[in-house]
Amino acid sequence: AFVNLQKLYEDQRQWVEAAAVREQIAAIDDDKQESNSQILGFLRNEVGESQMRAEDAAAAKTFEAAIDIDKRTAPAYLNLGDARERMGRAAAAVEAWEKLVQTVPERAYLALDRLERAYQRAGTPHRFAELCQRLIDQNPQDWRTRLVLSRHLAASGRHRKAFDLLLAALPHNPHGLTIHQELWQALLARFWNDGGTALGQVIAAAAAEPGPDGPRAVRLALGVVGGSLFEGDPREWDVSRRTVAVVSADIGRAVASQ
């Protein structure tokens, strides 16, 4: 009966009442403390989100309570940092987001955009790259962090490193259209010479590059666009900038519809 009542309150978005019912359930059912804590943490986070519309200080305390109940309530760290940031407590906001990275590293990607912005404003952008690299070292299969870091590096003109990160991310999410889109853009940034250069020359430049990256770039280009759009020797493809823009737009639409 209590569980059904909690669900009824949740459906009506009465989060305070739903949390109170769950507290009663937790008091009765000692055998499921971990599960109860996870649910209570979620509900307290929802209470905090409803409070954010009126008062950030009260919301921040509720998010802190949600974290105290269950330290793996990832949204609570994000919301706590957001509330603190709006209150002008930039350092405390960063502390909350960094705590998410430390406590729930598999959900760290949720905080990366916020931390990148915060580090940039603080004049310490190198901290972001260092943080991402630590996450990748801890979890070599972490394709999301590689994707975010590649964007960060590309924005500062380090296209070679960004491209390598995307290639490393691809095996861990081979069907992710977002990675293919980023790889396509990175490939253009590295090899495309503005002015209508033939796409075949771009592919040829990639193939001629020493080391394993060149051949992989060729396979990537063929897989993303070449094999489906063109035939024959890539060096004979004469593709205008307009065609490249169309291909980029097509990939973008595929990502958006995924």
Side-chain angles (χ1 to χ4, degrees):
F2 278 125
V3 173
N4 290 334
L5 180 59
Q6 177 194 318
K7 290 181 178 178
L8 177 63
Y9 282 134
E10 288 179 10
D11 291 341
Q12 296 174 346
R13 305 186 70 79
Q14 294 177 257
W15 303 112
V16 174
E17 292 79 1
V21 172
R22 176 49 63 170
E23 286 175 347
Q24 290 180 278
I25 296 173
I28 297 170
D29 189 1
D30 289 333
D31 295 333
K32 298 181 179 178
Q33 284 299 325
E34 183 176 351
S35 175
N36 286 326
S37 295
Q38 290 175 351
I39 295 171
L40 265 175
F42 164 78
L43 292 173
R44 287 299 177 193
N45 178 70
E46 293 295 332
V47 172
E49 287 191 356
S50 65
Q51 291 174 323
M52 284 175 70
R53 303 184 186 95
E55 186 181 355
D56 282 322
K61 291 182 180 179
T62 303
F63 294 132
E64 290 170 353
I67 293 168
D68 288 340
I69 292 169
D70 179 17
K71 296 189 181 300
R72 295 184 62 80
T73 309
Y77 293 98
L78 299 175
N79 289 327
L80 176 59
D82 292 346
R84 288 174 173 176
E85 186 178 44
R86 284 192 296 272
M87 295 163 63
R89 301 172 58 195
V94 170
E95 181 183 1
W97 297 326
E98 288 179 336
K99 194 66 175 178
L100 167 60
V101 173
Q102 297 166 9
T103 309
V104 199
E106 68 273 18
R107 305 292 296 279
Y109 66 91
L110 296 172
L112 291 181
D113 287 344
R114 290 171 169 87
L115 286 170
E116 181 182 23
R117 183 184 69 242
Y119 292 150
Q120 191 70 38
R121 289 177 177 173
T124 56
H126 65 278
R127 291 179 60 190
F128 181 72
E130 292 169 356
L131 171 64
C132 290
Q133 191 57 58
R134 285 199 301 273
L135 289 170
I136 293 169
D137 291 341
Q138 293 169 12
N139 180 14
Q141 296 182 338
D142 186 351
W143 63 268
R144 291 184 178 89
T145 298
R146 284 189 172 91
L147 180 62
V148 173
L149 180 56
S150 73
R151 291 170 177 165
H152 174 77
L153 295 175
S156 60
R158 287 175 284 180
H159 298 294
R160 173 62 180 266
K161 180 61 175 176
F163 187 71
D164 291 345
L165 282 165
L166 290 168
L167 287 174
L170 189 60
H172 304 298
N173 188 23
H175 304 295
L177 290 178
T178 301
I179 296 180
H180 286 85
Q181 181 188 39
E182 297 286 342
L183 274 164
W184 171 242
Q185 296 298 332
L187 181 69
L188 294 180
R190 286 191 62 193
F191 299 111
W192 180 264
N193 295 317
D194 193 23
T197 304
L199 181 61
Q201 294 177 8
V202 176
I203 304 303
E209 193 175 73
D213 289 342
R216 281 192 292 174
V218 172
R219 289 197 297 273
L220 168 69
L222 291 173
V224 175
V225 288
S228 60
L229 296 180
F230 308 104
E231 296 178 355
D233 188 338
R235 289 171 295 183
E236 297 178 0
W237 295 346
D238 189 11
V239 184
S240 67
R241 281 177 294 170
R242 181 177 181 278
T243 301
V244 170
V246 169
V247 171
S248 298
D250 285 344
I251 297 174
R253 281 191 291 272
V255 171
S257 64
Q258 190 179 36

